[in-house]
Amino acid sequence: MSSPLRAAILVISDSAFVDPGSDKVGPALTEIFTSAQLQSKGWTFPKVDIVPDDVELIQDVIKNYTDNENDYYNLVVTSGGTGFAVKDVTPEAVAPILHRHAPGLVHGMLAASLQVTPFAMMSRPVAGVRNKSLILTLPGSPKGAKENLEAVISLLPHACIQAAGANSRELHAGGLKKLESEAGVSSTNSNATKKDSLSHDHHHHHHNHGGGHGGHQIPKAHTAPEDRPQSNDPNAGPTRRYRSSPYPMLSVDEALRIIAQETPEPTTTQVPVDSDLVGSVLAEDVYAGEAVPAYRASIVDGYAVIVPSSGSGTKGVFPVASVSHAQAASMPPPLNPGTIARITTGAPLPPNANAVVMVEDTILASTTPDGKEEATVEILTDNIKSGENIREPGSDVSRGSKILTRGDLISAVGGEIGLLVSTGTRTVKVFKKPTVGVLSTGDELVLHDDPRVLTGGQIRDSNRPSLISCLRSWGFETVDLGIARDTPAGELEKALRGAVRGLGSDKPPVDIIITTGGVSMGELDLLKPTIERTLGGTIHFGRVSMKPGKPTTFATVPYKPSTAAGGDTAQQEREKRLVFSLPGNPASALVTLNLFVLPSLHKMMGLASTSTAPSPLPTPTSVGLPIISASLTHPIPLDPKRTEYHRAIVTASRKDGRLYATSTGLAGVGQRSSRVGSLAKANALLVLRPGEDRIGEGQLVEALLMGGVVPE
Ligand SMILES: Nc1nc2c(c(=O)[nH]1)N[C@H]1C(S)=C(S)[C@@H](COP(=O)(O)OP(=O)(O)OC[C@H]3O[C@@H](n4cnc5c(N)ncnc54)[C@H](O)[C@@H]3O)O[C@H]1N2
Ligand code: MOO
Ligand SMILES: [Mg+2]
């Protein structure tokens, strides 16, 4: 026990980060380590760092302490951030990066604190080992931190040395008795301590209750949050992975409900009215700033006339007194009774004129002497009423009237853009569209355009190009996040962190991350463990009862854009990113993109924000794929358990006006989830609920439309 023991003290506090001079914990804990007693046990002068309450920063700093094999700290104690306040994230940051938990130390610290104050119950400490370092989280008050540390300190040298890899038998045989007596623990009734808490096997044991054969494999319910069923520990290897998924199987509806709940409310932005507006949703009601037309305008080419108040009497020969063209020039002069004015469609009416006669209802009577201009024109009809062929100012759109409503989608048809620009609307408030990052995962993947012949188990990365195309066609900005390999470890973590932070000008930060692959039961299916254990994220679901797409996983990861301390909690709450981890099989990835990601994107772009005002028109603004019914052109066998999303072509018959659905390939190979071709030409997913037998020809089925209906 003579080798030096190195300790790092990490003070986690927004306020101490801003004003290091205000920190009292660092000095208090330093004092303990530099006491004569501890120095004699081998402790050296500790290192002290301060970080704000930020999951990523906490993890980064701790990993710096623990991940360098040649230069690591034996003990890392954090202080602060273990309470129940929203900003308290220390356990969330530390628990996921522990390789092995040490609940015994947690008990020890809590028991000691409880003797001092019942408020100890309000602390949420975690403890465990990462690589060769022991990590403890202490409370944030100098007094509490000291008490907790003092409660366990005498055992720590032993634990640290064991964590660093000393032979445990030797330690048990020799030093343990001495240590126990120092700590007031009797070795005779501490079998559990010796066998479990400190032994290397403990963690695996603990996380893999289901590791046996056949039995009920969901780990026993524990109460502490760090003990809830979690993803595989990647360090445990294939022999110790779960042999059945610890994630409950959700229905598609339940999964969609969770996604809607976790998807943040849309944010807004002011943008110019131009063609880039197509595909955006208005975040405000829009009122006409100008009347259309702004002046009394002619609807036809012809002659402006004064219809007598008697109601008729336009027939006859009249001198052409002036000309009014549809142009930006000044208004024409007033019309005198007994004269007419030539006018073009859309041109302003001369004052006094009250109707326009179409040129077809006239003949030329005489010309000017040079023959180039009309002198007099004969009107052949007597059938013109006052107001005829005239658009009154504001009769198309009156100034100040509501032209579009919050929640309206600016379509590519052009009507909304036309309405906005015609009334002089130069900018509008819209909902910001999310940016989506797409990441492929897997060692087997090669770039889709790699010219080399495939060897061994190589697969072309088809998911990234197909998903990115689909997302772009929906009108979303995409960021290509490339391929993350399963090995070496850490690529996935790096890629996910980079996606959230942004990786330069061509890779801006994304709002939503989509990954494909690595979410099922293989020992290299690393998505779930990386999200949960490394990024401190939350997996909201990890399995859905559907075919294809069963391992579809949905998570959120915490994110703070700046390292600035403090900040309002509402802002922090908003700063999480959605992660859709879709199955790697190409058909599964595309189907689940359509089914799960699209509704979330729709909500984020404001499509769920329709105005409450009643509209005479059906609002085409619900989220996700539109659903219709179509009749089957052939029978399809049903899956006994899972709802199938069967790829099909829906056509509209010109003969009977009905919609028909035809499979792109029948069950078995045709609809196999690896067969991306099942989506070629498909414009619909038939929703086939599980059943015993088959659904027959001519039956009506629900169809989710991915593309336009094809005329037959
Ligand atoms: N024991 C079990 N095995 C599997 C289960 C299960 O419940 N128990 N689920 C199956 C189902 S369903 C699916 S879907 C897949 C999902 O697999 P992963 O999401 O873990 O994906 P990978 O294992 O990484 O790859 C599966 C498959 O897809 C190919 N792939 C992956 N990425 C791409 C890409 N970007 N482009 C083209 N192809 C890709 C990969 O090479 C594999 O062939 O798990 C079943 N297993
Ligand atoms: O559920 Mo998986 O997506 O069928 O192959
Ligand atoms: Mg897999």
Side-chain angles (χ1 to χ4, degrees), residues 630-692:
S631 81
L632 274 184
T633 61
H634 53 77
I636 302 183
L638 295 172
D639 188 278
K641 287 209 192 99
R642 295 185 274 163
T643 301
E644 188 189 346
Y645 291 81
H646 194 105
R647 283 75 83 196
I649 305 170
V650 169
T651 56
S653 162
R654 292 172 65 168
K655 278 190 229 117
D656 60 12
R658 287 164 61 182
L659 298 174
Y660 290 96
T662 305
S663 171
T664 59
L666 277 184
V669 176
Q671 293 288 313
R672 199 185 264 170
S673 57
S674 54
R675 200 181 150 249
V676 71
S678 66
L679 279 136
K681 295 190 181 161
N683 61 355
L685 298 173
L686 307 181
V687 185
L688 306 179
R689 315 266 170 211
E692 286 306 303

Side-chain angles (χ1 to χ4, degrees), residues 25-254:
V25 188
L29 296 180
T30 303
E31 203 178 293
I32 297 183
F33 283 106
T34 51
S35 67
Q37 200 196 353
L38 264 72
Q39 295 278 300
S40 74
K41 296 275 186 291
W43 293 104
T44 56
F45 195 90
K47 173 182 177 58
V48 180
D49 283 314
I50 305 179
V51 286
D53 295 281
D54 179 310
V55 170
E56 280 185 42
L57 284 176
I58 296 168
Q59 294 181 340
D60 285 352
V61 175
I62 294 180
K63 286 183 196 167
N64 274 338
Y65 297 151
T66 59
D67 287 12
N68 182 345
E69 210 183 329
N70 301 316
D71 178 21
Y72 64 92
Y73 287 83
N74 303 84
L75 175 67
V76 177
V77 295
T78 71
S79 164
T82 58
F84 280 88
V86 177
K87 70 172 179 60
D88 292 331
V89 294
T90 302
E92 285 65 42
V94 175
I97 59 172
L98 294 179
H99 294 151
R100 294 176 290 146
H101 283 263
L105 286 169
V106 172
H107 278 281
M109 291 193 292
L110 284 177
S113 293
L114 279 168
Q115 296 198 338
V116 181
T117 166
F119 283 104
M121 280 185 263
M122 303 303 286
S123 181
R124 308 180 296 124
V126 296
V129 175
R130 179 179 174 85
N131 295 331
K132 296 179 172 180
S133 308
L134 184 63
I135 305 174
L136 298 178
T137 66
L138 306 174
S141 76
K143 183 168 171 289
K146 271 178 86 166
E147 279 163 11
N148 273 254
L149 182 60
E150 280 164 354
V152 295
I153 191 78
S154 57
L155 287 161
L156 296 185
H158 172 73
C160 289
I161 289 162
Q162 260 202 322
N167 183 319
S168 76
R169 266 170 218 277
E170 272 167 31
L171 269 166
H172 279 281
L176 191 58
K177 283 240 159 57
K178 189 165 149 268
L179 273 162
E180 281 171 343
S181 60
E182 275 175 23
V185 184
S186 148
S187 79
T188 44
N189 46 23
S190 68
N191 269 340
T193 313
K194 277 193 285 182
K195 279 215 185 102
D196 278 352
S197 305
L198 299 174
S199 84
H200 282 250
D201 281 339
H202 175 68
H203 171 76
H204 298 142
H205 190 65
H206 171 75
H207 271 286
N208 291 280
H209 285 286
H213 301 276
H216 228 299
Q217 282 147 351
I218 296 174
K220 259 201 212 138
H222 294 278
T223 43
E226 68 266 30
D227 283 349
R228 79 190 144 76
Q230 228 194 10
S231 42
N232 272 317
D233 176 356
N235 298 312
T239 56
R240 286 168 158 158
R241 72 176 147 164
Y242 287 114
R243 304 200 82 83
S244 75
S245 174
Y247 295 93
M249 181 89 92
L250 265 52
S251 70
V252 169
D253 287 346
E254 177 70 1

Side-chain angles (χ1 to χ4, degrees), residues 518-522 525:
V519 287
S520 198
M521 300 293 295
D525 288 339

Side-chain angles (χ1 to χ4, degrees), residues 546-551 583 585 588 642 673-674:
M546 63 186 295
K547 183 182 160 182
K550 184 171 67 161
N585 274 324
S588 314
R642 295 185 274 163
S673 57
S674 54

